[in-house]
Amino acid sequence: MKITEQSVTIIDPIDKDYIYRKLELIGRVCYKSEDKITEGSAEQFLRRIIKSGHESVLEHQSISVKFIVSRSIANQIVRHRVASYSQESTRYCDYNSGRLGGEITVIRPIDIKPDALEFAIWEQAGMDAEKAYQNLRFIDVPPEDAREVLPHCLKTELVMTANIREWRHFFRMRCAPAAHKQTRQVAKELLKMFYEKIPVLFEDEWAEFVGWEAQNEKMIKSDPAGNWQLDGVSWKDLKVGAIINKEMFDKLYSALWKLKDYEASGLTPDEVIDSMWT
């Protein structure tokens, strides 16, 4: 059994300037303002389109992406129905064949660390599933039936093609704090890639889901004893019923996900903040 990490890559070559000019031309058809197209006008126009919510214009450009994730995470991704998918088939792929290495590949859950007891339990469960699969194939049970013993952490390769509007929706759902942690990890990695290649179309979501995190990394520190705290916030002043201003509220909400104290408590930021206002 091979253990690997999840990853994501953009398949299409992306010409930023071409995409900007194309979407501007299409969008200006709605207003018959093609005569206002100038050198550099596309970025400003697209920012206005996004700010006004006129995102149907963005549907005219699609991008294909390849995910390598576990089956459980792939099940979440394919719920975005305004997209096209091609996925590695456990029915037609025989993991007992030499072509595929004669073994299964699994994705390690990010919360299960290699040196922890739970890793040994998880790893053994995967090897037991692999052995059961191999035994079924040895007695000529076809892959489409033998696959029923394979684990949720089985590696799968999934290509998703979606238009820009749907990708923006994907990031709003899958980068949000309420999303599955492993899904958030791969979604935020992809959002960073999109922002680097076509920033105007994703700069607002990058700022919300990635930019804040980068800023919070600077705000969070630990003392010599290993206790985590937030720069600029006096924790002794925060208690049930305390009144906090919006700036502090925003800092707390965005940073609490990173603080070890609240990870250990099992509370979510929403639960912590709800307790502050009661």
Side-chain angles (χ1 to χ4, degrees):
M1 182 181 78
K2 183 187 299 183
I3 301 173
T4 190
E5 305 293 328
Q6 64 182 13
S7 61
V8 60
T9 55
I10 298 174
I11 293 176
D12 295 311
I14 295 181
D15 184 333
K16 177 183 69 174
D17 295 331
Y18 167 77
I19 291 174
Y20 287 173
R21 290 195 301 267
K22 171 186 172 181
L23 293 178
E24 180 189 20
L25 177 61
I26 291 169
R28 287 192 181 278
V29 168
C30 302
Y31 311 103
K32 296 311 299 171
S33 61
E34 295 94 329
D35 60 312
K36 297 186 181 299
I37 295 177
T38 62
E39 185 68 29
S41 64
E43 294 188 11
Q44 184 179 1
F45 176 81
L46 291 172
R47 286 191 177 100
R48 289 200 305 269
I49 284 289
I50 292 171
K51 186 176 181 179
S52 68
H54 189 190
E55 293 194 12
S56 62
V57 172
L58 307 181
E59 296 175 15
H60 292 280
Q61 180 65 45
S62 295
I63 297 175
S64 296
V65 167
K66 180 180 180 181
F67 294 97
I68 298 179
V69 293
S70 68
R71 279 272 162 179
S72 58
I73 299 305
N75 288 343
Q76 297 184 36
I77 294 173
V78 299
R79 294 181 66 187
H80 293 265
R81 296 314 311 156
V82 189
S84 300
Y85 298 96
S86 294
Q87 185 172 6
E88 178 180 339
S89 171
T90 54
R91 183 182 182 193
Y92 295 107
C93 293
D94 183 357
Y95 299 108
N96 208 39
S97 71
R99 185 173 64 87
L100 297 178
E103 63 181 348
I104 65 171
T105 300
V106 295
I107 302 288
R108 179 183 63 84
I110 58 177
D111 282 336
I112 296 183
K113 307 304 180 185
D115 57 349
L117 173 61
E118 53 264 33
F119 178 83
I121 298 172
W122 169 81
E123 183 180 32
Q124 186 61 54
M127 291 190 295
D128 290 344
E130 179 184 55
K131 187 62 176 178
Y133 180 87
Q134 291 171 339
N135 288 339
L136 289 170
R137 291 295 297 121
F138 181 75
I139 58 175
D140 293 327
V141 173
E144 64 183 22
D145 295 325
R147 66 179 175 174
E148 299 300 331
V149 302
L150 294 175
H152 281 300
C153 59
L154 181 72
K155 181 272 297 180
T156 188
E157 298 184 13
L158 172 68
V159 174
M160 175 179 173
T161 301
N163 62 56
I164 298 294
R165 184 182 195 179
E166 180 59 20
W167 278 121
R168 286 175 54 80
H169 173 71
F170 174 86
F171 293 130
R172 285 195 296 273
M173 297 296 102
R174 301 305 171 182
C175 293
H180 188 286
K181 187 179 293 185
Q182 196 132 339
T183 308
R184 288 185 72 217
Q185 182 188 61
V186 73
K188 286 165 69 176
E189 185 63 30
L190 180 59
L191 175 55
K192 292 175 186 177
M193 295 178 186
F194 275 16
Y195 175 69
E196 289 173 0
K197 293 181 179 295
I198 37 178
V200 170
L201 303 179
F202 294 96
E203 59 191 5
D204 56 333
E205 295 186 331
W206 180 89
E208 180 176 358
F209 298 117
V210 179
W212 262 111
E213 183 175 279
Q215 181 177 349
N216 292 336
E217 290 284 0
K218 299 176 183 178
M219 294 194 298
I220 297 171
K221 65 178 182 179
S222 60
D223 60 25
N227 299 312
W228 289 76
Q229 55 187 303
L230 187 64
D231 282 345
V233 175
S234 176
W235 291 101
K236 68 178 187 291
D237 295 331
L238 295 179
K239 48 194 171 184
V240 175
I243 297 176
I244 59 177
N245 59 35
K246 186 179 185 305
E247 181 181 2
M248 185 181 292
F249 179 93
D250 290 340
K251 282 185 177 181
L252 286 169
Y253 188 85
S254 57
L256 280 175
W257 286 99
K258 304 285 290 183
L259 294 176
K260 300 299 182 183
D261 292 342
Y262 286 98
E263 289 179 358
S265 73
L267 294 175
T268 67
D270 288 318
E271 291 170 330
V272 173
I273 290 174
D274 284 345
S275 71
M276 291 179 181
W277 292 102
T278 55

